[in-house]
Amino acid sequence: MLLTHHAKERLAKRLAKRRRLERIYEKLWDFLDRSRRIEVNERIVIFTDGRKSLVCSRLDCERLTLEEIKERVDGISRPYECVFLDDKLVRETLPRKFLELIPEGEYCFYLNREKRSLYVGSEEPLLVITLRPAKREERGAKST
């Protein structure tokens, strides 16, 4: 999962109470563990715990081996916000340095050079748009 600037601010204010990137993602993953997933359409997914809802959009990704991913990020010399979903690992660092922490395999890969964000994981990436109060129909009985 990647975060828009707005979503990062909302998560810091409503869940994490701190602005450290690791803390924000830690609280995000805790929220996802206790939430149910609602597929709105082919692009939008909502996660809700009955009180708050996280609105996400699917991102297009490529399935690549770790070696191919390393080749793609080879020329990057500025720190990126790097997310490895499988181990719930997030760091702001150089992508090639971050990829050293990831085991060999084939992953979904998403890179946004403009926003300086990198996603690697076994599931397709989601972009968190906002955190808002749950609507009436989202407050139903919790099911996973």
Side-chain angles (χ1 to χ4, degrees), residues 5 19 28 47 52 88 91 100 121 139:
H5 177 73
R19 300 236 182 278
L28 169 64
F47 294 90
K52 294 182 176 89
K88 295 185 177 179
R91 298 246 169 89
E100 293 171 3
R139 291 190 205 127

Side-chain angles (χ1 to χ4, degrees), residues 11 14-15 26-37 47-52 88 131 142-144:
L11 285 165
R14 304 278 182 224
L15 293 178
E26 178 185 315
K27 291 298 182 179
L28 169 64
W29 287 318
D30 289 346
F31 178 83
L32 292 174
D33 288 343
R34 67 176 185 270
S35 298
R36 65 184 172 104
R37 182 180 179 130
F47 294 90
T48 185
D49 67 354
R51 294 186 334 231
K52 294 182 176 89
K88 295 185 177 179
L131 178 72
K142 186 181 175 231
S143 63
T144 308

